Amino acid sequence: MHPMLNIAVRAARNAGKVITRSMEQLDKVEVESKGTNDFVTSVDIAAEQTIIETIRKSYPEHTIIGEESGVLTGSDDNIQWIIDPLDGTTNFVKGIPHFAVSIAIKVKGKLDQAVVFDPIRAELFTASRGKGAQLNGMRIRVNSQKELAGTLLATGFPYKSKQHSNAYMAMFASLFQKTADMRRAGSAALDLAYVAAGRVDGFFEIGLKPWDTAAGELLVIEAGGLVTDLSGGHNHTQSGNIVASNSRLLKEILKDVRPHLGTALS
Ligand code: IPD
Ligand code: CA
Ligand code: CA
């Protein structure tokens, strides 16, 4: 395993322990609002702190971008760690056991290493640039389904940006007519990991942040899939609007998404 991936895995497992321990005493968890329908808990912050400490022990010079801490610039800005300490906070707060720790490493702006860890199921999704993607050490691949008929797509609702509800619902309705079913499970990092593992055939969501998608994107790519924005371009990290699938099915998904983009989305 790549030495940086090794540390990322250690950090994700440490954060996972913080999260599962707190789940046993959910009533003690402090919840604060940081925006419309956007919550942060004492556990998000403690998990992020644990991850940062683990990274800092081995790589004090690297830059860290954490959802809760912002940018912690190191002397070596060529290597950036992008962290979501708890992806699926709404599930966690409600006691729904579906969330993950997401850690990606970029080297000179390119995704290089990725970890998405589900501490409840002890599922560790990892990827290294050019070396494929794994689930608990076993190689995973995206599905090869070419048409929407019979597919299961994952998605997320734009609950933090409800101005996009109508456009989103139009895309959903159009796709729902053609697919077998849809899942809104509540963790974008796991949605992408599930695309990589072939558990779902594709994923689309609008308004995501870099820490929601960075690790999942490398998992999908290394599992043989493709990640684009809603126009089929490469602006998804900036826009937060994302589609992931195998390249053939992704084109089919875009056909139902594009007509509803309007001016605010791309
Ligand atoms: C959220 C989850 C959710 C997605 C949201 C994300 P958080 O992350 O990934 O599935 O729909 O847009 O912000 O806030 O729980 O880290
Ligand atoms: Ca997130
Ligand atoms: Ca989070």
Side-chain angles (χ1 to χ4, degrees):
M1 191 182 275
H2 190 287
M4 287 197 294
L5 183 61
N6 200 23
I7 298 302
V9 168
R10 188 180 302 168
R13 288 195 190 278
N14 288 345
K17 277 184 212 141
V18 170
I19 298 167
T20 46
R21 231 183 282 139
S22 322
M23 189 107 187
E24 286 158 22
Q25 289 186 301
L26 254 191
D27 51 323
K28 298 228 169 83
V29 173
E30 292 157 39
V31 186
E32 267 177 49
S33 168
K34 58 176 178 177
T36 313
N37 299 322
D38 196 2
F39 301 101
V40 59
T41 74
S42 42
V43 177
D44 296 66
I45 293 166
E48 183 157 305
Q49 216 40 55
T50 302
I51 296 168
I52 293 170
E53 279 164 21
T54 309
I55 299 167
R56 282 274 179 259
K57 266 187 209 155
S58 298
Y59 299 110
E61 69 283 12
H62 292 176
T63 290
I64 301 176
I65 302 162
E67 177 178 8
E68 313 305 342
S69 320
V71 182
L72 308 171
T73 314
S75 57
D76 183 359
D77 200 31
N78 283 325
I79 306 187
Q80 295 181 329
W81 295 64
I82 303 158
I83 302 167
D84 190 336
L86 174 46
D87 185 59
T89 295
T90 305
N91 280 347
F92 173 76
V93 167
K94 297 287 183 189
I96 298 171
H98 186 82
F99 41 75
V101 182
S102 173
I103 303 176
I105 306 170
K106 276 189 173 179
V107 177
K108 294 187 180 161
K110 281 190 176 165
L111 286 166
D112 200 71
Q113 309 292 333
V115 177
V116 171
F117 179 53
D118 172 347
I120 297 293
R121 299 179 183 86
E123 288 192 323
L124 181 76
F125 299 87
T126 51
S128 289
R129 189 180 175 77
K131 301 248 159 48
Q134 288 84 28
L135 164 55
N136 291 343
M138 304 289 282
R139 187 74 190 256
I140 49 174
R141 289 199 66 81
V142 296
N143 279 344
S144 55
Q145 188 92 8
K146 295 181 183 69
E147 290 166 1
L148 283 167
T151 57
L152 182 63
L153 297 188
T155 187
F157 303 139
Y159 64 100
K160 293 177 198 167
S161 44
K162 290 196 178 171
Q163 70 275 19
H164 296 312
S165 295
N166 289 344
Y168 173 80
M169 292 302 173
M171 293 170 195
F172 184 97
S174 184
L175 284 164
F176 185 61
Q177 289 303 325
K178 298 178 185 167
T179 58
D181 202 355
M182 300 273 208
R183 291 287 179 271
R184 193 301 184 242
S187 162
L190 283 178
D191 291 335
L192 286 161
Y194 283 18
V195 172
R199 290 178 177 173
V200 293
D201 299 292
F203 167 67
F204 75 104
E205 182 158 347
I206 62 182
L208 289 171
K209 297 284 191 239
W211 43 81
D212 299 316
T213 59
E217 175 175 351
L218 188 63
L219 286 171
V220 171
I221 292 166
E222 288 298 327
L226 191 63
V227 177
T228 71
D229 60 24
L230 302 184
S231 318
H234 297 290
N235 204 35
H236 46 282
T237 309
Q238 288 76 15
S239 68
N241 307 327
I242 187 168
V243 187
S245 188
N246 70 60
S247 57
R248 286 282 293 272
L249 190 64
L250 190 136
K251 280 192 195 117
E252 295 305 310
I253 296 171
L254 290 179
K255 281 184 197 162
D256 288 271
V257 163
R258 273 209 191 98
H260 309 291
L261 285 181
T263 47
L265 294 168
S266 62

